[in-house]
Amino acid sequence: MKPQTSSLFDQLNDAAEYLRSHTDFKPKTGLILGTGLGGLVDKIELHKKWDYATIPHFPESTVQGHEGSLLMGHLAGEAVIVLNGRFHYYEGYSAKELTFPTRLLCHLGIERIFISNVAGSVNPQYQAGHVVIVKDHINMQPDNPLRGPNDDRIGIRFPDLTNAYDRKLRELASSTMSKMKMIAHQGVYVGLQGPNLETAAEYKMLRTIGGDLVGMSTVQEVLVTNHMRVPVLVTSLVSNECHDVGNLCETTVEQVLEVAKTGGEKLQELWLAMLGSFADENL
Ligand code: HPA
């Protein structure tokens, strides 16, 4: 007989029970830290930390030294649960596998989730180092985490995406950025599979179809947060400018990481200010 594989719902319950067997901490905001936001980890008033490898049904890391950890604690007074380390489609995971950690955060009953990434800009107004609030996406990834039989206990079959990037969270991000004297762009993120960057002709096409930013993550995670009806805020850090397609410079990992380091500070400040305002609401 074929071994019974447990349903996604059962797997989420297994993982949630495992975490709850160690703590009754109740996180309110989930955070997925992209490149440049790792520094936030040091600012957490840590309650508990787990290596991904110890949590039931988490994907296995393919990159040694990038195992990742899940943390609970307080940031700017807000109770948070944090995914420090991301799984990408280009690493070979299916969309279902790579979104399991995001689903777990939603399953634990968080009220909202923040996601960050680095992205190339195809909008000429966006400069390297700018932070952009994502207002919508164009999904050009070849896999979809919602494909296959739907479990109504998790979410509905055909989730509506008209407010996929929660309007209220975007407004709060925008007003917080204005107070911080940051330019508050709101743009459309195009999600591609990677791992290569794009050709000049592709960057031109992405602008033509209505894109402002391009990257290799996030859209899959946003699909599951919408499936599970958890409001999501996505902020992108522009790492490379890809709009002057006649004069494109080569993009290197070093350059992306350098911009992520400097621009990441501003993005961290933005998240901390927003988390602080949620914490104040709870007082
Ligand atoms: N293309 C795709 N993904 C990216 C880029 C890019 O130019 N920059 C950072 N992530």
Side-chain angles (χ1 to χ4, degrees):
M1 223 170 64
K2 257 171 90 179
Q4 289 271 315
T5 49
S6 56
S7 71
L8 176 59
F9 189 69
D10 291 339
Q11 292 180 359
L12 288 168
N13 279 338
D14 285 348
E17 269 170 36
Y18 173 77
L19 298 181
R20 287 190 187 123
S21 72
H22 293 107
T23 179
D24 56 5
F25 188 85
K26 295 233 170 2
K28 293 189 65 190
T29 300
L31 307 177
I32 302 182
L33 306 183
T35 311
L37 276 191
L40 272 186
V41 167
D42 302 328
K43 303 195 171 95
I44 298 176
E45 205 181 299
L46 189 65
H47 171 71
K48 203 128 191 80
K49 176 179 170 182
W50 295 262
D51 289 338
Y52 284 169
T54 64
I55 306 173
H57 311 296
F58 255 50
E60 275 170 38
S61 176
T62 57
V63 191
Q64 263 196 340
H66 286 88
E67 278 79 14
S69 51
L70 183 149
L71 304 94
M72 290 187 195
H74 285 91
L75 250 185
E78 173 74 348
V80 294
I81 179 166
V82 181
L83 294 175
N84 183 30
R86 192 80 161 279
F87 299 95
H88 298 89
Y89 187 75
Y90 62 75
E91 292 172 87
Y93 302 101
S94 71
K96 264 203 175 63
E97 288 166 342
L98 74 90
T99 50
F100 185 84
T102 310
R103 282 203 183 274
L104 176 60
L105 267 44
C106 298
H107 193 67
L108 287 167
I110 53 169
E111 295 177 14
R112 62 189 83 81
I113 185 162
F114 289 6
I115 299 178
S116 77
N117 60 46
V118 289
S121 69
V122 292
N123 181 330
Q125 291 178 344
Y126 298 179
Q127 292 164 16
H130 279 176
V131 171
V132 181
I133 302 163
V134 176
K135 66 175 179 187
D136 207 342
H137 76 217
I138 298 173
N139 183 5
M140 295 181 75
Q141 295 230 359
D143 192 6
N144 188 312
L146 311 185
R147 183 167 174 268
N150 187 63
D151 189 333
D152 294 337
R153 293 171 296 182
I154 300 176
I156 59 172
R157 172 76 287 187
F158 300 109
D160 179 84
L161 293 182
T162 43
N163 189 31
Y165 294 79
D166 186 72
R167 195 166 289 114
K168 283 208 188 103
L169 287 176
R170 282 191 283 122
E171 280 167 9
L172 178 63
S174 180
S175 60
T176 310
M177 286 172 85
S178 301
K179 279 186 212 144
M180 294 169 66
K181 308 267 183 279
M182 292 168 74
I183 307 169
H185 302 294
Q186 294 210 29
V188 174
Y189 177 96
V190 188
L192 299 181
Q193 66 171 310
N196 55 278
L197 289 101
E198 289 66 41
T199 64
E202 285 167 338
Y203 282 129
K204 196 169 161 194
M205 183 256 315
L206 297 174
R207 182 70 185 143
T208 306
I209 63 171
D212 297 297
L213 298 159
V214 53
M216 306 172 195
S217 64
T218 305
V219 289
Q220 317 269 21
E221 291 145 350
V222 167
L223 290 176
V224 302
T225 61
N226 274 272
H227 189 225
M228 299 179 77
R229 304 187 69 82
V230 173
V232 62
L233 173 79
V234 176
T235 49
S236 294
L237 185 58
V238 176
S239 56
N240 52 308
E241 296 172 21
C242 326
H243 32 77
D244 186 7
V245 291
N247 295 300
L248 281 183
C249 299
E250 195 182 328
T251 300
T252 62
V253 175
E254 289 75 24
Q255 175 199 344
V256 170
L257 294 179
E258 183 53 37
V259 177
K261 205 163 74 190
T262 42
E265 299 282 329
K266 271 274 161 216
L267 184 48
Q268 287 183 35
E269 277 176 44
L270 170 64
W271 279 25
L272 287 170
M274 292 181 71
L275 292 170
S277 68
F278 299 139
D280 291 344
E281 272 172 26
N282 300 333
L283 290 179

